Amino acid sequence: MRKLLALISVLGLTVLMISCDKGIEPLEVVGPSAFSGKVTFEGQWPEGIKRTHVVVFKEEIKSVGDFFLPNLSFVVDSIPYGTKEFTYNSLEKPFSTIFKFAPGTYKYVVVAQSKTPVLTFNRADWTVVGVYCESGNQANPKTMIVNPGKTTTDVNITVDFQNPPPQPPM
Amino acid sequence: MKKIFLIMFLFPLVYITAQTGILTGKVINEKGQPVFGASVLIAGTARGASADENGNFEIQNIPGGTYDVQVSAISYEKKTLNNILINESTKAITIILTEALIQTEQIIVSAGKYEQRVQDLTVSTAVLQPEVISKKNHLTFDDLLRYVPGIQMNLEQVSIRGSSGYSKGAGARVLVALNGLPMYSGDNGDIVWEMIPVADIERVEIIKGPASSLYGSTAIGGVINIITKGSVKKPITNFRSYFGAYDKPSYDVWDWSGSYRQFFGAELTHSNSYENLGYTFSIKKFDNDSYRQNDFTKRYLGYVKLNYDLTQENKLTFFANYFSMNRGNFLYWKDSRNVLVPKDEDNGNTVKSNRIFTGLIYHHHFSDELTSEFKTSYYRTKFTGYGLEITTSTADLLRGEALVNYKTSNEFLITGGIELSYANVASNIFKNPTFFGGAGYAQAEYKGIPDLILTAGFRYDYIKLDTTNGKNAVTPRAGLNYKFTNDLILRASVGTGFRAPTPSEVFTSTAVGGGVSVIENPNLTYETSFSFEVGMHYMMKDISLDAAFYQTDYNNFIEPNLTKEGDIQFFNISKARIQGLELVSDWNIIPSMLTFSVGYNYMWSRDIEKNKSMKYRPRNTVYTNLRFTPAQFEFGVDFRYWSRVEEIDFALTEPPLALVVDGEQRVPAYITDLMAGCNFFIMNIPAKVYINAKNIFNYNYVEFIGNLAPIRNYSLSFELFF
């Protein structure tokens, strides 16, 4: 009996100790996280292009499903047809306020084009024309790291219509 | 089918009289207090009665002879009185029961749709007493379930051994029934806990495991069957009222109101009988300002029940339950600095709802070998949600069941029945679907081998939801119970289950804010399960231990997920598995004065396809209760723990949608409650006063993303019986 009462007492003390933790607490306010850069277009724009966006993915595209939500993390507002140079900032030019950008690591940042007037979720409608990459090697995507409350700059992408990058799975 | 119901209804009106006697008496405990609800049975017959509030009972029309009389009650040791002579006169006896912690002798009815003792069951079961509700001042019935090992509440959604995650009430996997009549609504299949007439509860039986083979689609995760009280012989009125307040939140930045938010409730219940008619009326009002903004509730409940004994063999029970509620619609917090304030776009949204649930049960006792029951219910639900857009739904659900129990000998018992149900929904978010279900079931119990009970059964269901193709399901099960020694009982069961998607899971089409919508999925198909359990129950004089290992494999498990377009839709997950170990132990440290209970559940759930844990399923849960009852006083401490859930709806908390800002905030839960009470008399009127302090350490946790659970609160409840 004494052992049992001792056990209950120990359990009670344990409860008291762990309960001193308050659990969920208010998080500190962190300023907006963002990325910015420049897209440079080389060569003649293809005919019939209706949409051109900088698109950010968390992970590389390994299957058709990875091309869309939730791996698709952010879409910059559409780039006008025929543009030669486009400067952007994710805070100023989001495609939609539905998309909330968060700090983190993003392994595939691209420029993608579509010939449909509305934004679709059909993989076949989209062509990747430029990749954020190391030393101009578009087969080797560069990871974009965005720290909390900071803006990652120089996320520059060159689109060479004569030399398109490897296409993700269709 | 109508003819079958008609025959079932009219056939029992044959009544044969014979020389009979009456057994009457009183059941009390060692302190001389009446044992309310004690079950008194004439052994070898189906005749019996329950003791009323004063411990009195009466069994009429007993054929003359000598009988053994078995008396049992929750928390008391079973007692058998041998060779009681019944003749034409009235036999009066007094039975004194001894308190015992081991709760194995109480009668339960739900497991096999016939009366069984707990120790004879082949599945894990828990039986709850109604006193717990008033003593701990649970504001609604679901609060009570939060203290039962193996049960997890995610806001208002109940899950037994991980059967459900959270889907905003759409599609329950636990069947909640009142006297065996299911209480799920016709549109989204949800359960409104406030509708349960707490004042009229005799006991609550919980089957922890799939029960589709007897109860059908909704019981794939288990059954909670609420049994209401029988008729009383003398008038009794019960008045209960409570008042409470929430403490200030842990952080000043969360103190949105600057005041102590309050809750209040009052309930008046009166029961009596006139000749063969027993009746109960109850009215209740319970309001809650809530500790959160725009989370208020104003609720009214009216309840009436009539028990009419047409003859000793023919009994009719009718009940009707009307519930009205007006509440704020708190969906998610604004962010972690405003956890008690809703998102701006949701602030001011309200919901008004009205529900009526009626049931009629006709019981006929053909003989000690053959009994039948006809049950029918009607459930009308209506709600209107006021927000950016007005959402409405009205659903009518009709249900009928005919049930027969046939005991061919003392060794063999057969239970069989048929069920029909029809629902009609009119809604601007669920469309206007209709639902039809038909089912037949049978189960046999064999006790021919000493100390061994074998059960086997199956159920066939046909379900058609509006224009979707009709589906068939066959759900067999089998179980065994073996009394290894007088102290040790082993049990095992294996079975299949299925669940049809509800109209809301298939047809919901509405905006949920932030540009995100829930969209319909007409291709949603049925989920099925295969499960088994092995368990043991060990009893010593003052200690009991129950252990169970369980596993359930689901196919086409239905859960809400994000589409590639960013909408929410109910999908079938290809495969999921839940395995677990549950241990429950009760200790009678000082008999009748100091008790300790502990329950531990380890649960490993995973989505086989994604090799991830299933959402909102904690891996470890612990429940403890310490109760001290010196004389007329009572003191209690409850502690609950569950580990941090691994998976939540990340699609709602993380970018790109991030509908719930800081929604990923979740912690292990440590909740401690205190209770103190006293039973006394005011001018010879029995009364109870209880003080409760819940979440005394003001620990901040969530049961669902973006919803902080109740902060520390205090309440005082007062109860009178006259």
Side-chain angles (χ1 to χ4, degrees):
Chain A
M1 186 60 65
R2 283 180 182 171
K3 285 180 181 174
L4 183 61
L5 287 171
L7 175 68
I8 292 171
S9 303
V10 169
L11 280 174
L13 284 172
T14 309
V15 168
L16 278 173
M17 284 192 296
I18 57 180
S19 298
C20 290
D21 178 11
K22 284 291 176 191
I24 288 172
E25 54 189 18
L27 299 179
E28 284 183 23
V29 180
V30 178
S33 308
F35 63 97
S36 66
K38 185 171 68 178
V39 183
T40 306
F41 295 88
E42 296 177 357
Q44 191 66 36
W45 278 63
E47 293 290 327
I49 295 297
K50 302 288 187 196
R51 304 193 144 271
T52 303
H53 294 276
V54 175
V55 187
V56 177
F57 297 93
K58 265 186 216 144
E59 304 290 338
E60 289 181 43
I61 312 292
K62 293 176 181 168
S63 66
V64 174
D66 291 341
F67 204 79
F68 303 103
L69 296 168
N71 193 38
L72 189 161
S73 301
F74 196 77
V75 180
V76 177
D77 206 1
S78 190
I79 302 170
Y81 184 84
T83 300
K84 288 294 178 188
E85 194 172 279
F86 180 76
T87 304
Y88 69 92
N89 182 308
S90 61
L91 283 178
E92 296 165 2
K93 293 185 177 175
F95 166 69
S96 166
T97 52
I98 292 175
F99 289 100
K100 314 286 192 313
F101 187 72
T105 302
Y106 298 92
K107 294 181 179 173
Y108 194 57
V109 183
V110 301
V111 175
Q113 291 187 320
S114 167
K115 292 184 177 179
T116 59
V118 293
L119 193 135
T120 71
F121 291 88
N122 181 6
R123 171 71 188 88
D125 290 342
W126 293 92
T127 304
V128 175
V129 293
V131 176
Y132 177 54
C133 58
E134 297 276 6
S135 309
N137 179 6
Q138 298 197 96
N140 184 21
K142 184 178 178 180
T143 297
M144 176 177 79
I145 298 170
V146 181
N147 293 313
K150 306 283 185 188
T151 297
T152 300
T153 56
D154 295 329
V155 183
N156 301 325
I157 302 172
T158 299
V159 175
D160 183 353
F161 290 117
Q162 303 303 317
N163 183 26
Q167 293 298 302
M170 296 286 276
Chain B
M1 191 56 66
K2 285 179 182 173
K3 286 181 179 175
I4 293 172
F5 283 161
L6 197 63
I7 291 167
M8 293 297 302
F9 204 82
L10 297 177
F11 185 62
L13 296 179
V14 181
Y15 177 45
I16 301 167
T17 57
Q19 269 199 341
T20 59
I22 297 172
L23 179 67
T24 182
K26 191 177 183 84
V27 185
I28 57 175
N29 62 19
E30 290 169 305
K31 297 173 184 171
Q33 297 164 329
V35 180
F36 171 59
S39 172
V40 184
L41 278 178
I42 308 293
T45 76
R47 295 171 197 280
S50 293
D52 63 17
E53 284 83 356
N54 298 315
N56 296 321
F57 70 90
E58 185 176 284
I59 307 170
Q60 297 179 339
N61 294 333
I62 308 168
T66 303
Y67 298 94
D68 292 342
V69 177
Q70 297 172 339
V71 187
S72 59
I74 297 171
S75 297
Y76 291 91
E77 288 181 2
K78 181 182 175 183
K79 191 162 193 171
T80 301
L81 285 75
N82 297 316
N83 302 321
I84 301 294
L85 178 65
I86 303 292
N87 51 32
E88 290 177 53
S89 62
T90 298
K91 179 84 176 180
I93 57 176
T94 298
I95 302 145
I96 302 171
L97 294 182
T98 306
E99 284 197 42
L101 185 70
I102 301 160
Q103 300 178 11
T104 57
E105 297 290 346
Q106 63 267 42
I107 300 297
I108 82 158
V109 295
S110 61
K113 297 209 174 192
Y114 61 95
E115 292 190 344
Q116 283 178 292
R117 298 178 303 177
V118 166
Q119 76 264 34
D120 291 346
L121 292 174
T122 60
V123 294
S124 297
T125 309
V127 179
L128 309 179
Q129 303 165 78
E131 292 84 32
V132 179
I133 297 170
S134 58
K135 286 177 180 175
K136 293 185 179 172
N137 198 29
H138 297 306
L139 300 187
T140 53
F141 185 83
D142 50 321
D143 265 353
L144 168 68
L145 300 176
R146 285 178 164 84
Y147 296 80
V148 180
I151 291 189
Q152 177 79 17
M153 294 298 302
N154 296 320
L155 297 185
E156 74 284 356
Q157 198 153 332
V158 62
S159 170
I160 295 181
R161 291 178 173 172
S163 59
S164 292
Y166 184 76
S167 54
K168 207 68 191 168
R173 288 188 182 81
V174 174
L175 181 83
V176 177
L178 192 62
N179 294 322
L181 289 167
M183 287 189 77
Y184 56 82
S185 63
D187 43 15
N188 57 5
D190 68 344
I191 297 145
V192 173
W193 300 102
E194 294 95 331
M195 278 198 78
I196 294 169
V198 171
D200 196 35
I201 294 176
E202 181 169 301
R203 66 180 182 274
V204 180
E205 309 161 352
I206 300 169
I207 307 300
K208 298 179 187 176
S212 293
S213 62
L214 277 176
Y215 290 90
S217 171
T218 315
I220 193 169
V223 175
I224 297 172
N225 194 15
I226 298 145
I227 308 297
T228 59
K229 294 174 183 172
S231 299
V232 295
K233 296 295 177 192
K234 294 176 182 173
I236 183 160
T237 301
N238 171 230
F239 174 74
R240 178 170 179 265
S241 182
Y242 65 82
F243 172 80
Y246 294 96
D247 204 341
K248 292 291 183 78
S250 304
Y251 302 96
D252 290 342
V253 69
W254 289 355
D255 189 7
W256 61 276
S257 70
S259 62
Y260 295 95
R261 308 289 292 176
Q262 297 166 2
F263 51 91
F264 155 85
E267 182 172 20
L268 185 67
T269 305
H270 177 72
S271 298
N272 198 357
S273 60
Y274 176 73
E275 295 183 347
N276 291 336
L277 178 68
Y279 56 86
T280 297
F281 299 100
S282 178
I283 51 170
K284 183 178 182 181
K285 174 176 168 56
F286 43 139
D287 294 349
N288 192 338
D289 290 343
S290 182
Y291 56 104
R292 307 190 295 186
Q293 191 178 25
N294 198 47
D295 189 37
F296 69 91
T297 48
K298 292 183 183 300
R299 296 166 289 200
Y300 299 90
L301 180 69
Y303 171 74
V304 59
K305 186 179 73 180
L306 306 172
N307 291 317
Y308 185 57
D309 295 346
L310 298 162
T311 65
Q312 183 67 18
E313 280 72 24
N314 298 297
K315 296 173 191 293
L316 203 57
T317 300
F318 168 81
F319 60 84
N321 205 343
Y322 174 75
F323 177 66
S324 172
M325 177 164 66
N326 180 16
R327 65 173 174 86
N329 195 8
F330 189 106
L331 289 177
Y332 304 109
W333 65 38
K334 191 173 180 179
D335 55 45
S336 67
R337 292 161 298 284
N338 298 277
V339 295
L340 304 181
V341 174
K343 296 171 69 174
D344 291 340
E345 61 265 37
D346 298 334
N347 210 344
N349 292 357
T350 58
V351 178
K352 285 184 180 173
S353 62
N354 295 291
R355 293 170 181 248
I356 184 162
F357 181 65
T358 64
L360 182 69
I361 301 171
Y362 173 71
H363 178 89
H364 181 69
H365 182 95
F366 290 96
S367 66
D368 287 345
E369 288 76 35
L370 181 64
T371 60
S372 70
E373 259 185 357
F374 175 74
K375 300 178 177 184
T376 183
S377 64
Y378 169 64
Y379 192 10
R380 182 178 177 83
T381 58
K382 181 181 181 181
F383 76 79
T384 307
Y386 300 91
L388 283 176
E389 54 187 47
I390 292 177
T391 56
T392 64
S393 180
T394 303
D396 295 288
L397 175 63
L398 280 162
R399 201 180 157 280
E401 178 180 0
L403 163 70
V404 173
N405 284 309
Y406 180 55
K407 191 161 72 172
T408 60
S409 65
N410 281 334
E411 298 172 350
F412 203 61
L413 188 144
I414 297 170
T415 301
I418 53 172
E419 269 184 45
L420 291 174
S421 54
Y422 173 79
N424 183 36
V425 181
S427 169
N428 66 352
I429 54 171
F430 306 141
K431 292 193 168 175
N432 301 306
T434 56
F435 167 91
F436 171 77
Y441 57 85
Q443 177 169 288
E445 180 188 88
Y446 179 67
K447 290 182 171 177
I449 302 168
D451 299 324
L452 182 67
I453 299 169
L454 297 171
T455 62
F458 76 98
R459 176 174 164 128
Y460 165 78
D461 279 87
Y462 173 78
I463 286 179
K464 180 158 174 55
L465 177 57
D466 208 64
T467 54
T468 60
N469 292 330
K471 297 281 184 183
N472 302 283
V474 177
T475 47
R477 75 170 294 275
L480 71 84
N481 177 296
Y482 180 57
K483 194 173 181 182
F484 191 72
T485 66
N486 280 337
D487 300 330
L488 180 63
I489 295 170
L490 308 176
R491 63 177 185 270
S493 64
V494 59
T496 58
F498 94 105
R499 187 174 84 87
T502 60
S504 63
E505 288 171 316
V506 175
F507 295 114
T508 296
S509 182
T510 186
V512 293
V516 178
S517 297
V518 179
I519 60 171
E520 62 178 299
N521 183 2
N523 297 319
L524 200 63
T525 191
Y526 296 48
E527 65 183 45
T528 58
S529 73
F530 175 81
S531 62
F532 71 86
E533 175 191 328
V534 289
M536 55 143 285
H537 190 85
Y538 180 66
M539 299 161 286
M540 286 194 297
K541 182 166 171 45
D542 294 319
I543 297 174
S544 75
L545 173 67
D546 194 281
F549 171 78
Y550 57 90
Q551 175 173 314
T552 303
D553 286 288
Y554 291 97
N555 281 305
N556 294 320
F557 194 76
I558 300 169
E559 279 212 331
N561 273 303
L562 198 68
T563 67
K564 65 180 182 180
E565 290 89 356
D567 293 315
I568 296 167
Q569 191 178 43
F570 284 89
F571 286 106
N572 292 105
I573 297 173
S574 61
K575 282 183 185 299
R577 171 173 286 180
I578 298 174
Q579 292 171 307
L581 174 69
E582 187 175 289
L583 302 170
V584 179
S585 185
D586 297 319
W587 303 59
N588 209 358
I589 301 168
I590 303 173
S592 303
M593 192 175 287
L594 184 62
T595 61
F596 178 66
S597 302
V598 60
Y600 169 70
N601 189 48
Y602 174 81
M603 187 172 67
W604 186 30
S605 68
R606 56 206 180 278
D607 178 335
I608 301 284
E609 194 177 58
K610 295 179 181 168
N611 195 28
K612 291 198 301 190
S613 174
M614 296 168 74
K615 294 177 202 169
Y616 304 109
R617 271 89 169 175
R619 195 169 283 215
N620 297 284
T621 53
V622 176
Y623 302 79
T624 65
N625 170 260
L626 185 68
R627 187 164 155 251
F628 182 50
T629 52
Q632 74 270 36
F633 297 100
E634 182 164 355
F635 304 93
V637 184
D638 281 279
F639 173 71
R640 293 175 287 150
Y641 159 80
W642 63 86
S643 55
R644 182 176 185 266
V645 294
E646 295 162 48
E647 290 293 322
I648 57 173
D649 285 304
F650 286 115
L652 297 179
T653 64
E654 291 183 344
L657 295 182
L659 272 180
V660 188
V661 178
D662 300 329
E664 73 286 355
Q665 293 292 302
R666 61 197 191 283
V667 290
Y670 308 99
I671 309 124
T672 309
D673 304 332
L674 297 180
M675 177 267 288
C678 180
N679 298 296
F680 59 101
F681 289 87
I682 302 174
M683 293 183 293
N684 288 329
I685 296 173
K688 295 179 182 177
V689 171
Y690 280 86
I691 298 169
N692 277 271
K694 294 188 178 174
N695 193 5
I696 55 167
F697 297 109
N698 217 6
Y699 187 79
N700 302 306
Y701 65 101
V702 294
E703 291 178 343
F704 178 60
I705 56 171
N707 279 264
L708 194 79
I711 60 177
R712 178 167 50 216
N713 59 87
Y714 311 93
S715 65
L716 173 73
S717 61
F718 178 71
E719 201 165 0
L720 279 176
F721 301 87
F722 50 91

